[in-house]
Amino acid sequence: MTNGAQETTAPAAPRGRSLKNRFLLAIAAIIVLDILAWMFVPPFPLGQPGVPVTGIGDLIAANLELPAPHVVIDLAPDVHADPSAIVTSHPSITSSILTTWVVMAVVLVTFILATRSVRLIPTRVQNLVEFAYEALENWAVSLGGIGARRHVPLFATFFLFILFSNWSGLMPFFGKIVELRAPTSDVNVTIGLALVAFFYFHYQGFRALGIRGYLGKFFVFSGFKEGPAAGFIGLFVGLIEFLLEFIKPVTLAMRLFGNIFGGEVALGVITALTIAIIPIGMLSLELLLNFIQALIFSTLMLMYTIIAMEGHGEEHHDEAHHDEEHAPSTGTLEPSAAH
């Protein structure tokens, strides 16, 4: 039995050593490639090919992309636009808009090709698409209940678009080609996404509760029945909640923009200052962080929608019902039980 067990497990050791050797060989090849690239294709300051770098500052500047997007096509060349402005309203097609169209085309074509011929025995691509959608649906239902199912299409759309937009910025030619830039590293795009989410969850709130019912969540006058002090406190709290609704799109947009743009800046600086091994490890971390940021944005959009559709007294009713169900027994018996 021992010899048989040894014969069975013996081939696993060479496979493990082979995988380790390939990994070490890949790292060595990357280091050699970096050294050869530095020797035969030396780095140069931004916009000055052939000029040797004078210090670390030139390397950082060459890998640092400013927040203002590059204008690919100016649709109003006669109108002066501030090139340093981060948030712009100038009619133009910027690098982030162009990349947005590329990401949209890739996602749409992939899902159309994967779902146009649905089979009982699915292909690998169909399996992957179905798994992704079911995982997102289960996540949404687990957080928002069965009522969240009707919002899953938009939730999944937000997640997939933001995810692939985030990941596009990790490709080596993005940022090097000025016409291509990760959409979510441009605050104009993240503001647009946040405004779509903002109008959607407020629309669902008005649709579920009506104009009077939805606005009644913020402009509460029922407290005056208990006295002027309680009425003014309830009205003040409601007005604060109403103003906080306009903060939600700001936080959605700035959180996504800050994390994606900051990650790209950090990755560019690390790449300029170190050899490829450290950037590869940071790139793996950015893949995970970009996934989390896409999930956070889409999940917040979903939860804001669920909250907007809830009536003002539903939460208190649910808490009271929960307390009744879990109230301790008084120890008294019903007359029928006593007999």
Side-chain angles (χ1 to χ4, degrees):
M1 294 296 293
T2 305
N3 293 335
Q6 291 176 351
E7 292 177 0
T8 304
T9 58
R15 283 199 298 268
R17 286 196 297 268
S18 176
L19 182 61
K20 181 180 178 181
N21 292 337
R22 291 179 183 178
F23 181 73
L24 294 176
L25 183 62
I27 293 178
I30 292 173
I31 296 175
V32 172
L33 183 62
D34 279 346
I35 296 174
L36 293 177
W38 187 277
M39 294 172 56
F40 296 101
V41 190
F44 53 85
L46 184 64
Q48 302 177 20
V51 178
V53 295
T54 58
I56 294 177
D58 291 338
L59 296 175
I60 295 177
N63 288 273
L64 184 62
E65 187 176 17
L66 297 177
H70 173 74
V71 177
V72 180
I73 301 176
D74 194 344
L75 300 179
D78 298 333
V79 180
H80 176 71
D82 185 4
S84 62
I86 299 178
V87 180
T88 61
S89 59
H90 183 72
S92 60
I93 298 176
T94 62
S95 55
S96 53
I97 293 178
L98 182 61
T99 311
T100 297
W101 293 344
V102 174
V103 172
M104 290 171 59
V106 170
V107 174
L108 287 174
V109 169
T110 301
F111 277 81
I112 290 173
L113 293 178
T115 58
R116 67 175 181 174
S117 56
V118 180
R119 303 177 182 178
L120 293 177
I121 303 177
T123 61
R124 291 183 178 179
V125 177
Q126 182 180 334
N127 262 332
L128 180 62
V129 172
E130 291 178 354
F131 171 77
Y133 189 84
E134 289 177 1
L136 292 173
E137 184 179 34
N138 293 336
W139 173 264
V141 172
S142 67
L143 293 177
I146 196 66
R149 193 182 299 275
R150 63 192 299 263
H151 308 293
V152 169
L154 184 63
F155 166 74
T157 301
F158 265 105
F159 173 78
L160 292 173
F161 172 74
I162 295 174
L163 178 65
F164 285 101
S165 296
N166 295 349
W167 282 352
S168 67
L170 301 180
M171 296 182 179
F173 49 87
F174 275 67
K176 302 300 181 184
I177 302 176
V178 294
E179 289 79 11
L180 296 176
R181 175 176 179 171
T184 45
S185 68
D186 180 6
V187 70
N188 299 279
V189 175
T190 60
I191 289 176
L193 292 171
L195 287 177
V196 172
F198 175 77
F199 286 112
Y200 178 78
F201 63 72
H202 282 300
Y203 164 75
Q204 292 296 335
F206 281 112
R207 181 175 178 271
L209 304 175
I211 297 177
R212 183 176 178 180
Y214 189 65
L215 293 179
K217 296 172 62 174
F218 308 107
F219 302 97
V220 183
F221 297 97
S222 59
F224 286 100
K225 298 178 181 179
E226 302 177 5
F232 280 113
I233 291 175
L235 184 61
F236 179 72
V237 172
L239 290 175
I240 291 178
E241 292 181 357
F242 178 74
L243 294 175
L244 288 177
E245 290 296 311
F246 295 94
I247 304 298
K248 289 179 180 178
V250 178
T251 57
L252 283 173
M254 290 304 173
R255 181 189 296 109
L256 182 59
F257 162 72
N259 281 281
I260 302 306
F261 180 74
E264 289 188 359
V265 169
L267 187 61
V269 172
I270 293 293
T271 303
L273 299 179
T274 61
I275 60 177
I277 297 177
I278 296 178
I280 286 177
M282 190 171 180
L283 187 65
S284 303
L285 180 62
E286 283 295 318
L287 286 171
L288 177 61
L289 292 178
N290 289 353
F291 175 88
I292 293 174
Q293 289 303 318
L295 187 61
I296 289 174
F297 189 102
S298 52
T299 300
L300 286 175
M301 183 279 301
L302 177 68
M303 299 312 298
Y304 288 156
T305 304
I306 299 299
I307 294 172
M309 296 175 63
E310 291 181 350
H312 182 66
E314 288 184 13
E315 182 179 352
H316 300 288
H317 175 73
D318 292 340
E319 290 178 357
H321 181 67
H322 180 272
D323 293 339
E324 289 178 1
E325 288 184 347
H326 294 80
S329 174
T330 58
T332 58
L333 297 176
E334 296 292 334
S336 58
H339 293 290

